[in-house]
Amino acid sequence: MAVRAFDITDGSLAPVSVLERAPRTRRDARRLRQRYAIIGVSAVSVPFVVAVIVLGVGH
């Protein structure tokens, strides 16, 4: 069963516009998961690497 989302915020354009996304393929889902994993790991590890470099230079 399909669920449709209707955008009724602006009635002047079209009477009803249907907003539907195509389902993601497994490949797209895997790439998206890998992208967010890389972003998360780098967001956590970069500050630690910078801190180690600063402490090494300061020591």
Side-chain angles (χ1 to χ4, degrees):
M1 176 168 39
V3 177
R4 298 176 189 251
F6 295 102
D7 182 14
I8 57 171
T9 56
D10 188 13
S12 65
L13 296 175
V16 175
S17 64
V18 179
L19 304 174
E20 289 188 27
R21 283 191 179 173
R24 285 194 183 116
T25 62
R26 288 184 181 181
R27 178 187 294 173
D28 292 338
R30 183 174 51 233
R31 284 182 183 168
L32 193 60
R33 230 180 302 125
Q34 288 175 348
R35 173 186 285 170
Y36 284 127
I38 290 171
I39 291 171
V41 167
S42 62
V44 170
S45 63
V46 166
F48 287 109
V49 171
V50 171
V52 167
I53 291 172
V54 168
L55 288 175
V57 170
H59 186 6

